[in-house]
Amino acid sequence: MTSPAAPTDAAAVETVNAELARIARHQNAGRFAEAGAALDRLLEQYPGHPRLVHLQGLNLVHLGQTEAGMALLDEVVAHNPEDVTALVDIGTLLAQQGKMDDAREKFQTAVEVAPNYALAHANLGAALVVARDYVRAIPHLDRAIALDPGVLDVHLNLAQACLRTGHFQRAVDALFRALAIDPQSAAVHVNLAQALFRRERHEAAEHHARRAIELAPQAGEAWLHLGNTLAASGRMDEAAQAFLKAATLPGMALTGFSRLANLRKTTPDSPEWQGLQLLAEKADQLPDEPRVTLEFSLGKARDDLGDHDAAFAHYAEGNRLTRTLYPYDRAVNVARAERIRALVTPALLTRHAKAGLRGVAPIFVCGLPRSGTTLMEQMLSRHPDVQAGGELPAVQRAFQANAPLRAVMEERSPDDALTDDDLTRLGEDYQAYLHGEGLRSLHITDKMPGNQLYAGLLALALPEAKFLIMRRHPLDGLVSNYLQNFGQNQPVSTDLEDLAESWRQFDQNAKHWAALLPDRVHEVSYEALVADPEGQARDVLEFLGLDWHADVLDHTASSRQVNTASVAQVRAPIYGTSVARWRRYGAHLAPLAAALGDALTEEERIACGLDA
């Protein structure tokens, strides 16, 4: 870029500003050729002026001359590396071209150059959301809102980042601020339906889903969220109609039919079966993630139709594709479990007996996924002294906030570096998350299955907490995991041998905690629970120190939503048809049975195709 010329006297400045205003009108009207001609005339008079070169670059992009336009913008930044508006515009254009890594780099530079420039923070936050780097996105979006609270999309992006990181109440708050900006935004109502669903506020979620549909009847996401909300509250027929409507909308067939297939039993004349078959004809044209959804949905449908061999083939293909998208490292996870068991010993419990946060008594319902945690929590939610929390990321957040404790867990610090204060802070951070989500009762259920790994440390951090560890027959539980599309949330489920090892580690964890903390840990058999609900419920309530209430046996009457894969099952009376369900797939389970070894009986091994 040549040394820029610029207007110097007031009259010249006024003339140029008037011309720029006219150019802006041309651009707003889509008359980019006229705008370009006017810019050419100004650049002849003031060659190399950065503002004019900048505008000409943008104008060329609008004319379809992207390469030439970007070259001019690069000249502007080369001349002045701290030209924040040029940096943001280049980043925006790169993002529009799909070059997100390059775009994020420009936005990051813009933020560093101008820390108080709202648009730079907003665009960097948005780019990080696209990259699924939600934790880094949130502070930039927060900063953008603090600098300029009136931009709708920033609130929407913040809500998505909060949803993805488990900060459901923060997402709701952000969306209500967005609603104040534009009460007629269908996008805000759609996102509110989703956030309130995750926050388990049933009536409000349904209201906003229906309002979104009023504003945009063809908004497929609104119909999906309406269906999710209705299903979670037990209104299955209405939910099916909502999913069916979604499936008829552009681009929503796969998601709508998939939700239908997982909501109810597929029959030969079900619309979802017909729809899935049509989609299967073009399966090879689908990207991997939607292909996974299709394969699992076809598996569920084939299972309902009694074609178990074909069903297993679909499940296997869905898991194979998922594994390529989200690899799993068995050795890392085994080492973590072994380390936690080695860390939490009787000596550690004695040394830190006075640590922890008292006055809060959460009920951790944990185990492997698909082991009855949802059923157990639904039963407890009917007790008047229990507030149901659902699958809370509170433990994960508390550990993330506790660097010294993590250093000990990861053997970067010696065991004796752990202090009472570290453990107490863990409890305080856990409680802070609960309070942020509006969970303030003494007894709050947290049914995140993976908390079973950390029961010993959580027992020190929360001395009044109790732990219900759900157990299910390994073949039933692990096969149920294999047949469930967890996506990136549980990549261990994509391989039968990995699942077997995860069960072995869980089994050791459960035995370790039960022996170490007999007054704090109670194991519950899923099979016993469905066979004798009252007897098991009485034992559980006695262990928890809660009075007997017969309402816990009527878990289907619970008004709280269920946001996990078990939604259809827990809205039915307690039943035992899922016990020994693995047998329909026995011929395909030899790798799982072999890996489980002596955890199975001789008859079970034979049923899985192994020698006696």
Side-chain angles (χ1 to χ4, degrees):
M1 177 181 283
T2 61
S3 297
T8 55
D9 60 81
V13 170
E14 184 176 350
T15 300
V16 170
N17 285 340
E19 187 67 6
L20 289 175
R22 190 164 69 87
I23 290 169
R25 291 195 298 273
H26 284 322
Q27 291 177 328
N28 290 337
R31 300 171 63 195
F32 298 111
E34 290 84 348
L39 283 165
D40 285 340
R41 290 192 297 271
L42 282 176
L43 281 165
E44 287 178 6
Q45 189 174 0
Y46 306 105
H49 190 276
R51 175 63 176 153
L52 299 177
V53 175
H54 184 161
L55 292 174
Q56 185 69 297
L58 293 176
N59 203 73
L60 287 173
V61 172
H62 285 301
L63 286 167
Q65 301 175 44
T66 302
E67 186 174 344
M70 293 289 285
L72 289 181
L73 290 170
D74 287 337
E75 283 186 27
V76 174
V77 173
H79 175 74
N80 179 10
E82 296 189 354
D83 189 327
V84 66
T85 57
L87 286 166
V88 170
D89 282 343
I90 292 172
T92 301
L93 294 171
L94 288 168
Q96 291 171 355
Q97 297 168 37
K99 301 175 180 178
M100 294 306 301
D101 290 342
D102 294 335
R104 284 193 299 276
E105 182 180 339
K106 296 298 182 185
F107 295 142
Q108 182 65 51
T109 302
V111 164
E112 293 168 0
V113 166
N116 293 323
Y117 188 40
L119 187 57
H121 285 285
N123 284 8
L124 178 56
L128 290 167
V129 168
V130 171
R132 301 183 180 181
D133 193 349
Y134 304 112
V135 172
R136 286 182 59 208
I138 289 174
H140 290 290
L141 295 167
D142 280 336
R143 182 61 178 155
I145 290 169
L147 293 165
D148 183 1
V151 183
L152 184 70
D153 285 348
V154 184
H155 294 280
L156 287 169
N157 285 328
L158 177 61
Q160 281 302 309
C162 290
L163 280 170
R164 298 291 186 173
T165 54
H167 294 90
F168 304 134
Q169 187 57 49
R170 280 208 66 195
V172 171
D173 294 342
L175 289 164
F176 274 117
R177 289 194 295 270
L179 198 64
I181 296 171
D182 185 2
Q184 303 302 312
S185 169
V188 173
H189 287 287
V190 167
N191 280 273
L192 261 172
Q194 179 187 18
L196 289 163
F197 170 72
R198 297 306 303 271
R199 189 63 185 78
E200 304 195 4
R201 290 169 58 181
H202 167 258
E203 292 183 3
E206 181 182 350
H207 165 78
H208 288 285
R210 293 191 183 280
R211 181 61 181 138
I213 290 167
E214 290 175 2
L215 292 165
Q218 301 303 302
E221 289 289 334
W223 286 101
L224 287 178
H225 292 320
L226 177 61
N228 289 339
T229 302
L230 293 169
S233 57
R235 295 152 67 185
M236 299 304 185
D237 290 341
E238 294 176 72
Q241 291 304 308
F243 290 144
L244 188 58
K245 173 63 179 178
T248 67
L249 299 175
M252 302 301 294
L254 174 57
T255 308
F257 288 134
S258 172
R259 300 284 173 88
L260 269 171
N262 285 283
L263 179 74
R264 63 189 183 184
K265 186 177 178 65
T266 299
T267 62
D269 57 352
S270 296
E272 58 268 32
W273 176 233
Q274 310 304 320
L276 289 171
Q277 286 182 296
L278 290 174
L279 290 167
E281 294 175 2
K282 301 179 180 179
D284 292 342
Q285 302 174 25
L286 292 174
D288 283 351
E289 289 212 35
R291 176 70 181 270
V292 167
T293 299
L294 176 61
E295 294 293 345
F296 275 95
S297 300
L298 287 167
K300 166 63 166 58
R302 288 285 188 186
D303 182 275
D304 288 343
L305 294 170
D307 190 349
H308 300 130
D309 289 339
F312 196 87
H314 285 299
Y315 287 131
E317 178 62 9
N319 279 304
R320 184 191 68 79
L321 290 168
T322 302
R323 196 171 190 81
T324 65
L325 292 167
Y326 309 111
Y328 175 76
D329 192 327
R330 184 195 304 181
V332 168
N333 287 276
V334 169
R336 181 183 298 118
E338 291 175 344
R339 167 58 183 156
I340 298 300
R341 290 195 299 269
L343 173 64
V344 185
T345 61
L348 186 86
L349 295 180
T350 300
R351 185 162 67 246
H352 297 291
K354 295 182 179 179
L357 177 69
R358 288 161 175 80
V360 56
I363 302 168
F364 290 97
V365 184
C366 48
L368 291 180
R370 314 293 288 167
S371 61
T373 55
T374 299
L375 173 59
M376 186 77 260
E377 189 195 42
Q378 282 293 104
M379 295 176 72
L380 291 173
S381 74
R382 295 285 291 150
H383 195 285
D385 294 334
V386 176
Q387 184 178 12
E391 288 190 359
L392 297 171
V395 169
Q396 181 183 3
R397 299 290 174 265
F399 277 121
Q400 287 174 346
N402 225 305
L405 175 54
R406 290 203 317 276
V408 173
M409 293 164 62
E410 296 164 8
E411 296 186 277
R412 291 180 285 108
S413 295
D415 293 2
D416 58 11
L418 187 63
T419 68
D420 283 2
D421 187 62
D422 293 331
L423 293 163
T424 301
R425 180 183 171 186
L426 181 67
E428 291 169 344
D429 289 338
Y430 179 84
Q431 185 187 49
Y433 181 93
L434 298 187
H435 286 181
E437 294 298 307
L439 300 167
R440 294 180 174 272
S441 297
L442 175 64
H443 300 293
I444 296 167
T445 56
D446 180 341
K447 76 171 196 75
M448 184 64 76
N451 288 339
Q452 53 88 13
L453 176 62
Y454 305 106
L457 291 170
L458 293 172
L460 286 168
L462 298 159
E464 296 173 38
K466 294 290 183 75
F467 301 83
L468 300 176
I469 297 184
M470 303 298 299
R471 277 189 174 275
R472 187 178 181 185
H473 189 288
L475 284 176
D476 269 335
L478 300 180
V479 169
S480 183
N481 275 266
Y482 189 74
L483 306 186
Q484 181 66 43
N485 181 13
F486 287 105
Q488 64 181 328
N489 293 328
Q490 193 183 311
V492 65
S493 294
T494 60
D495 181 85
L496 292 172
E497 293 182 10
D498 283 343
L499 279 167
E501 183 57 40
S502 75
W503 182 86
R504 287 195 174 281
Q505 294 303 318
F506 159 73
D507 183 55
Q508 292 181 61
N509 289 341
K511 291 174 179 175
H512 183 71
W513 304 133
L516 200 61
L517 300 160
D519 297 331
R520 308 282 300 283
V521 173
H522 181 71
E523 296 186 72
V524 181
S525 162
Y526 172 79
E527 289 79 10
L529 184 62
V530 298
D532 180 18
E534 181 173 344
Q536 290 297 308
R538 287 184 179 277
D539 287 347
V540 165
L541 292 180
E542 181 179 358
F543 166 73
L544 296 174
L546 297 174
D547 293 334
W548 168 252
H549 275 268
D551 287 352
V552 300
L553 300 178
D554 188 18
H555 70 285
T556 60
S558 176
S559 61
R560 68 177 294 270
Q561 296 182 4
V562 184
N563 296 337
T564 71
S566 305
V567 60
Q569 294 94 317
V570 300
R571 287 302 177 186
I574 295 174
Y575 66 107
T577 56
S578 60
V579 175
R581 182 169 176 250
W582 63 268
R583 289 183 180 277
R584 67 185 65 175
Y585 295 114
H588 304 280
L589 301 180
L592 178 61
L596 285 170
D598 58 7
L600 304 182
T601 66
E602 179 179 323
E603 186 275 330
E604 288 166 344
R605 289 170 57 81
I606 293 172
C608 291
L610 297 180
D611 294 334

